[in-house]
Amino acid sequence: MPPAPSLTPATAGSHPTNTPHYIAGQWAAGQGDEAIVVHDPSTTRPFAELQGASLTQVDQAVAAARAALPAWRALSGAERSGYLRRFAEQIEQRRGELLALQMRNNGKPEHEASIDIDDAVATFNYYAVLAEQLDAGQDSDVPLAVPGFVAQTRREPVGVVALIVPWNFPLVTSAWKLAPALAAGCTLVLKPSEVTPLIEQAYGQISDAIGLPAGVLNIVIGARQVGAALSSHPGLDKVSFTGSNAVGSQVMHAAAEQCRPLTLELGGKSAIVVFDDCDLDQAVEWIVAGICWNAGQMCSATSRLVVHERISDALLQHLATAFEALKVGDPAQGQVEMGPLISQAQWAKVNDYFALAQTEGLRCLAGAKAVEQPGWFVRPTLYADVPSGSRLWNEEIFGPVLCTQRFSSEQQAIDIANDSRFGLVATVISSDLQRAQRVAAALEVGHVWINSVQAVFVETSWGGTKASGIGRELGPWGLSAYQSVKHVTRCLG
Ligand code: NAD
């Protein structure tokens, strides 16, 4: 078991720890009663401490966003686009600092932290283009079957939106909300996760640096109390939430109380379906990436391997060897392939699943243990032939834990993959493209990868079916999520 954290002096680089909240264009000291301690999960040592926002500060942030709305929405798309491009430039300029902070606070290996920065930059640049296009598309005519009338479509910003995000991809998840919302003309209150609050402070610093009008983006930091106060705040027009199903359900209740729109990006228990015509080595590489990237702490982790019975034994053997060989360690100590879990709570949760697997009598081919070093590390873990009733087969573990089942026919593979309350993503591996396309069409999820893994492009949509959420992010769908459609119909007579 890793040692209990001990407090050391706060050293959080250039991030304001005394004035962590960004409200109405000003940095403010926390007036709430939650003390937020930020840890390095590779050592378990705290490296910063912040005071959370008070409920009054949540009110102030919402009020600031409301006050900023008329002027921000009145700007042309091209003007808002200019700000988005400057966000992208500034993220790029802060690459070194953001890289270090993600490695330290998220335990991300350097190449993963770097990809997150690329993703955030690409997102702001993409929505900069869509913001410009808004100017051309506004007030477009709608063809009508009935003569004597003309109708025009307007797409207007939804208004003041709260963005509540988790800790696993802090730069990216926030960018996927901030960029389209700003492009649409919304004003915002962002609540980062209390586990990684310093990373999103960069978005406040960038707002300062580029002269974003005060109040357009506000950032309040806190945990459950601040999240609950924000998601139930009467001054909002919409909430966009990414996180767990348990909290998502509470956020949905709060939205129901106010009868207002909501986007939910929730959990997953996604399948990776491997047919017997695959290249075994390539398949192993994709399977490992699908469950070990970000130490398996991905909503889109492909944590259920569904493999053809003809290759099952050989594939699992290869996989066990690959898991055992994976270099797990502190990203600050050189090239590692997988970092630690994010927190003591997450580490304890994954270890509880190891214990449960023992109780359930699951066959373990690799891992199922913590790493003998300080830090919240676990080894990548493989359980073979896990029964459908097992909690490990059904629940989102959020760690590098892969459960497998075998199939004998294409239909059985589809049935196994679809037998889940979640429906976020899936991967299909086969050299028969027609079959792969057929299976992709039959899978009840929001995104399918064929012969690739976790490849997310800003032009395509992101979001799930079933319990994985409501709505879509990215692409034009991500912009629509922050727009309201209005029609103006006029009699020509
Ligand atoms: P979480 O639900 O615990 O927290 C998410 C956010 O909600 C945090 O900012 C937290 O402070 C806040 N919060 C906590 N209690 C709240 C309340 N009562 N009301 C309002 N807000 C509250 O999730 P997490 O542990 O930070 O992240 C992991 C989860 O996020 C996983 O389930 C994962 O699948 C999901 N996730 C989904 C996606 C997606 O795109 N579908 C992406 C990333 C993560």
Side-chain angles (χ1 to χ4, degrees):
M1 172 135 178
S6 65
L7 260 173
T8 56
T11 49
S14 66
H15 294 266
T17 49
N18 295 332
T19 52
H21 311 284
Y22 187 64
I23 301 170
Q26 304 289 326
W27 291 98
Q31 293 166 1
D33 47 26
E34 287 177 318
I36 310 289
V37 181
V38 186
H39 291 89
D40 178 342
S42 298
T43 62
T44 76
R45 286 202 206 101
F47 67 95
E49 190 168 340
L50 325 171
Q51 202 59 34
S54 65
L55 302 190
T56 303
Q57 287 180 305
V58 172
D59 286 345
Q60 288 167 353
V62 174
R66 179 64 62 193
L69 182 63
W72 181 249
R73 65 180 287 162
L75 293 184
S76 67
E79 286 168 312
R80 290 198 297 268
S81 169
Y83 285 104
L84 292 178
R85 282 191 207 288
R86 274 172 267 156
F87 262 97
E89 287 162 12
Q90 287 276 329
I91 297 168
E92 192 58 74
Q93 278 173 27
R94 289 158 199 258
R95 179 174 283 273
E97 186 188 341
L98 288 171
L99 209 55
L101 194 52
Q102 289 182 92
M103 289 165 69
R104 186 168 195 196
N105 192 185
N106 276 97
K108 286 179 191 269
E110 186 172 351
H111 69 281
E112 293 191 21
S114 181
I115 287 175
D116 281 14
I117 294 170
D118 295 342
D119 194 328
V121 169
T123 304
F124 278 97
N125 278 328
Y126 173 79
Y127 283 107
V129 175
L130 263 58
E132 271 164 0
Q133 290 170 359
L134 284 177
D135 293 340
Q138 196 61 293
D139 297 327
S140 58
D141 283 352
V142 180
L144 300 173
V146 176
F149 288 88
V150 64
Q152 287 179 325
T153 310
R154 293 181 53 79
R155 288 185 173 272
E156 302 187 340
V158 165
V160 176
V161 186
L163 313 175
I164 302 177
V165 294
W167 44 260
N168 56 341
F169 292 92
L171 264 189
V172 174
T173 311
S174 296
W176 288 7
K177 295 184 193 303
L178 289 174
L182 292 173
C186 294
T187 54
L188 308 169
V189 181
L190 170 68
K191 196 205 82 62
S193 166
E194 65 278 18
V195 183
T196 54
L198 302 176
I199 294 173
E200 276 107 331
Q201 281 185 327
Y203 288 127
Q205 293 171 326
I206 291 173
S207 302
D208 270 350
I210 67 174
L212 190 75
V216 170
L217 169 60
N218 305 274
I219 303 175
V220 286
I221 292 171
R224 192 193 57 76
Q225 211 182 13
V226 172
L230 183 58
S231 62
S232 60
H233 201 287
L236 302 172
D237 298 307
K238 176 168 182 166
V239 174
S240 178
F241 172 84
T242 299
S244 65
N245 283 64
V247 177
S249 167
Q250 293 173 38
V251 171
M252 196 168 174
H253 273 99
E257 288 281 331
Q258 308 280 342
C259 289
R260 68 178 168 219
L262 178 70
T263 294
L264 291 177
E265 295 290 351
L266 305 175
K269 188 75 186 179
S270 299
I272 180 161
V273 180
V274 183
F275 285 91
D276 54 348
D277 56 0
C278 70
D279 174 322
L280 225 54
D281 290 335
Q282 179 61 81
V284 166
E285 202 177 295
W286 284 327
I287 296 164
V288 171
I291 191 64
C292 293
W293 190 267
N294 213 32
Q297 301 167 119
M298 297 181 286
C299 52
S300 55
T302 40
S303 53
R304 292 184 301 140
L305 169 63
V306 185
V307 55
H308 195 282
E309 60 185 6
R310 249 197 304 271
I311 57 163
S312 180
D313 289 340
L315 184 81
L316 295 190
Q317 204 179 13
H318 272 58
L319 209 47
T321 308
F323 273 19
E324 296 295 357
L326 205 84
K327 195 167 171 214
V328 179
D330 179 349
Q333 305 299 322
Q335 289 295 320
V336 297
E337 292 164 299
M338 195 178 91
L341 298 175
I342 188 80
S343 63
Q344 170 81 41
Q346 198 61 28
W347 185 88
K349 181 182 164 198
V350 173
N351 277 281
D352 283 349
Y353 277 105
F354 294 157
L356 180 63
Q358 263 192 332
T359 311
E360 288 186 352
L362 300 188
R363 189 158 65 92
C364 178
L365 300 186
K369 56 181 183 240
V371 175
E372 293 293 322
Q373 66 185 78
W376 292 309
F377 295 96
V378 292
R379 291 290 320 167
T381 299
L382 178 61
Y383 294 111
D385 301 312
V386 177
S388 298
S390 163
R391 280 183 50 199
L392 278 88
W393 182 256
N394 291 291
E395 295 176 9
E396 184 184 50
I397 297 174
F398 231 55
V401 181
L402 181 65
C403 296
T404 76
Q405 282 192 7
R406 46 187 98 200
F407 68 88
S408 56
S409 70
E410 182 178 316
Q411 188 55 50
Q412 193 190 9
I414 293 166
D415 292 344
I416 294 172
N418 283 341
D419 185 18
S420 170
R421 67 186 280 254
F422 298 108
L424 192 55
V425 301
T427 292
V428 182
I429 302 179
S430 171
S431 56
D432 178 346
L433 264 191
Q434 277 188 337
R435 170 166 64 192
Q437 296 279 13
R438 241 182 358 252
V439 173
L443 292 173
E444 297 161 354
V445 297
H447 203 123
V448 181
W449 293 294
I450 294 176
N451 296 332
S452 60
V453 68
Q454 305 291 333
V456 182
F457 300 99
V458 66
E459 298 86 355
T460 61
S461 71
W462 186 257
T465 64
K466 304 196 259 186
S468 288
I470 299 173
R472 291 292 179 271
E473 298 195 304
L474 296 183
W477 308 275
L479 183 64
S480 303
Y482 296 98
Q483 290 175 317
S484 166
V485 174
K486 179 190 278 180
H487 278 106
V488 179
T489 302
R490 174 162 64 89
C491 179
L492 292 172

